[in-house]
Amino acid sequence: MKNVILAIESSCDETSASVCIDGKVMNNVIATQEIHSKYGGVVPELASRAHQQAIGPVVKEAMTTANVKMSDLSAIAFTQGPGLLGALLVGGAFAKSMALALDIPLIGVHHMKAHILAHFIEEPKPKFPFLCLTVSGGHTQIVRVDDYLDMTVLGQTTDDAVGEAFDKCAKLMGLPYPGGPLIDKLAKEGDKTKFTFNETSMPGLDYSFSGIKTGFMNFLNREKMKDADFVEKNKNDLSASIQRHLIDMLMEKVELAVKQEGVSQVAIAGGVSANSGLRSKLEEMAVEKGWETFIPRFEYCTDNAGMIGMTAHYQWLAGDTAPLSVSPMPRMKF
Ligand code: KG4
Ligand code: ZN
């Protein structure tokens, strides 16, 4: 009998559903919430409402395009955390209702572990052990992955996530949310060595991104006093320069982790791994240092239910299912 899992992701501002059959992700339906762009960040209340509207149609589309009937399903998986409480509740309640109605198991998935296991959706897949730099709007971590469900956080941010730093710096330049992809785009036409900003560094494998954000803000304020149009005139060079700083900060610790762990397979995951500068820097370092690198396809970098289905498959094989009383965990531990 086939193992057919319906997976639901609703942790932030993407409502997504995917059908995963025997560990193969059949589809990945994603509804992105555009409503937040004018507010400069995700508005939790609006995110919950938008999930509520999108979840029914998104699940239906995933079931239809995978040609799967309700009676074919073996389990329902959902993102249990971390994420926004109201957003997680929508996916969690929907998943529970389906599991109850169909009398099938429920699987609660950790969002960040799922970002890492997105590497097993398509070839080439990393072999164990490997290191994964997980970079999103809420997290920045270096994780050692010894098996599908055996992961250890080696280092992480002590304040802002790198995605947050991208978005906040973009906001300081007057760009809409999410600013990360816009900085990426503007940086392509800019000189990354043009400007330098003050940054703070943490010992070991931990990160801090609040210092560079303040350094960037102070720099802009100083320059704007001399020329009110400074930002407008220098958007490309500013984007390229802040992107270079953030990427160098990320990769410095990755290099340290490779040395410390003696593991030279390096993967990146999470929304910021869609960044073209980070991708090319990783490839460059791979050639220079003899690493083997893994970068998921763009669709599987940002939030998606395919990665939830993939993770649920391994949890299912390990017998890791959740009771109907399971609740969303906004700060779910790794
Ligand atoms: O993983 P994700 O989709 O959602 C969270 O779990 O947070 O990551 C979203 C983050 C946002 O901060 C967004 O600006 C950033 O990923 N992001 C990028 C790029 N694409 C998405 N940052 C820089 N360059 C990009 N191309
Ligand atoms: Zn994410």
Side-chain angles (χ1 to χ4, degrees):
M1 209 173 70
K2 284 192 159 154
N3 169 25
V4 185
I5 297 176
L6 168 69
I8 295 170
E9 154 66 30
S10 73
S11 66
C12 192
D13 57 348
E14 253 98 23
T15 317
S16 181
S18 166
V19 172
C20 183
I21 302 181
D22 288 335
K24 189 168 185 300
V25 172
M26 307 306 291
N27 56 17
N28 188 32
V29 181
I30 303 174
T32 302
Q33 304 176 0
E34 308 292 349
I35 188 156
H36 308 288
S37 66
K38 57 177 179 247
Y39 298 99
V42 176
V43 184
E45 169 83 19
L46 296 178
S48 310
R49 285 166 191 251
H51 282 304
Q52 199 64 263
Q53 281 178 344
I55 196 157
V58 161
V59 165
K60 187 152 190 200
E61 190 181 333
M63 296 287 290
T64 312
T65 54
N67 206 11
V68 163
K69 297 190 294 297
M70 291 292 168
S71 56
D72 296 328
L73 293 175
S74 321
I76 312 286
F78 72 105
T79 303
Q80 194 183 348
L84 300 169
L85 177 61
L88 292 168
L89 274 167
V90 177
F94 199 95
K96 274 189 196 189
S97 311
M98 284 190 74
L100 180 66
L102 297 168
D103 195 21
I104 55 175
L106 195 58
I107 302 175
V109 173
H110 191 290
H111 182 84
M112 295 312 293
K113 291 184 180 174
H115 268 303
I116 296 173
L117 294 186
H119 285 97
F120 293 91
I121 297 176
E122 293 178 329
E123 297 293 343
K125 299 171 183 168
K127 290 186 188 64
F128 302 114
F130 66 94
L131 299 178
C132 189
L133 173 70
T134 55
V135 278
S136 73
H139 291 81
T140 305
Q141 298 173 321
I142 299 179
V143 180
R144 180 188 164 106
V145 188
D146 282 291
D147 206 340
Y148 299 111
L149 304 177
D150 181 5
M151 306 182 188
T152 314
V153 177
L154 302 175
Q156 59 193 320
T157 183
T158 50
D159 41 51
D160 292 353
V162 66
E164 214 176 331
F166 264 105
D167 296 337
K168 285 180 178 167
C169 290
K171 196 174 175 185
L172 290 168
M173 290 195 288
L175 301 172
Y177 177 87
L182 299 172
I183 288 192
D184 189 359
K185 204 167 156 206
L186 288 165
K188 291 197 171 109
E189 309 288 319
D191 173 2
K192 64 180 180 186
T193 60
K194 183 83 181 274
F195 303 116
T196 302
F197 319 109
N198 286 334
E199 58 178 56
T200 44
S201 174
M202 294 296 291
L205 296 178
D206 284 337
Y207 290 107
S208 165
F209 290 102
S210 66
I212 179 77
K213 180 194 68 194
T214 311
F216 187 69
M217 184 175 72
N218 291 342
F219 178 85
L220 292 190
N221 288 341
R222 262 197 318 271
E223 294 300 325
K224 279 195 288 191
M225 295 228 280
K226 292 183 240 162
D227 175 1
D229 295 331
F230 177 79
V231 173
E232 204 42 54
K233 286 179 192 158
N234 293 281
K235 262 191 183 146
N236 294 93
D237 294 341
L238 283 168
S239 296
S241 300
I242 187 67
Q243 179 167 298
R244 186 249 313 155
H245 265 278
L246 294 173
I247 293 171
D248 286 352
M249 288 169 79
L250 287 173
M251 294 314 295
E252 184 196 333
K253 301 291 170 123
V254 171
E255 195 178 349
L256 208 60
V258 166
K259 283 195 192 126
Q260 177 188 301
E261 299 297 308
V263 172
S264 59
Q265 283 194 101
V266 181
I268 52 173
V272 181
S273 58
N275 184 271
S276 56
L278 178 61
R279 286 170 170 248
S280 40
K281 177 80 181 178
L282 182 68
E283 294 306 354
E284 208 179 281
M285 289 181 77
V287 173
E288 192 186 311
K289 300 183 184 298
W291 301 347
E292 198 181 346
T293 55
F294 299 87
I295 310 178
R297 192 147 59 83
F298 184 81
E299 173 183 355
Y300 296 121
C301 285
T302 47
D303 290 347
N304 68 89
M307 68 184 194
I308 304 300
M310 198 68 238
T311 309
H313 169 72
Y314 294 113
Q315 288 185 234
W316 169 266
L317 293 180
D320 180 9
T321 57
L324 280 173
S325 59
V326 66
S327 56
M329 297 172 75
R331 298 184 181 279
M332 193 172 184
K333 287 225 164 61
F334 203 84

